[in-house]
Amino acid sequence: MIYDYEPSVDLAMTTNAFLLKGAAQRLKDAGLKRINVSVDTLIPEVAKDIAGKDVLKNVLEGVDEALHVGLKVKVNMVPMKTVNAQEIVSVLEYCKERNMSIRFIEYMENKFAAKEIQGMKSPELLAILREKYEFTDDGFDGSSPSHYYTMKDGYRFGIIEPYEDDFCKKCNRIRLTAEGNLIPCLYFDEAMSISASIKKGDIKGAAAVLKEVVRTKPEKNRWGGEDDEVSSRAFYETGG
Ligand code: SF4
């Protein structure tokens, strides 16, 4: 429906990939071009610890099926000390072998996350990657929040650094949840429902909600702020 309305839109779906194997072909047939999947580990027990469920087999099979039917796959990994730090290179290699792009995302504290988890910041990640690879710093690309790097063989990876002061400078992201809420910023709680207008076919009402969400989009997040603030909405509600 979205492509019928505007074929040029860059539409991607963020999924945990648990049921992707059985859905990939239907998604492709519906016109989807790209999916985002988290692969934080390639070790089943670690995946079970992170997800609270034995998920890895489904996820990896789902990713392979998505590639098989011709979907582009973008992988996200959140490196965490004592959880998956030792897998940074292996997850990157997993993506490289399959010609999937990878973005390492600095761990963002939020009230649902276990207190004892410590994320890894970009300099630590880069030091690990430099032990194995040579790469150049490409900086930012358009409105993408990723800081990009290119390896000698042309493979490109990104790092998302929400603690950097200029991280939000070019952000143009508005997120639409499955419940029909528009979210102007990943960090803040604010959200506005657009579902009632859409269900009524009220295009003007929907446009007004969208306009208000864009108007109230915050300038930047507060991760790393002086008050040690954390985000209070779970990321699984918001999407990527
Ligand atoms: S924290 Fe908010 S403003 Fe910053 S990049 Fe994320 S969504 Fe955009």
Side-chain angles (χ1 to χ4, degrees), residues 145 167-168 171-173 175 184-188 217-221 223:
F167 176 70
C168 303
C171 172
N172 64 0
R173 300 292 200 270
R175 292 174 167 88
C185 175
L186 190 60
Y187 180 91
F188 293 94
K217 186 168 168 61
E219 193 181 331
K220 60 199 286 193
N221 68 59
W223 273 295

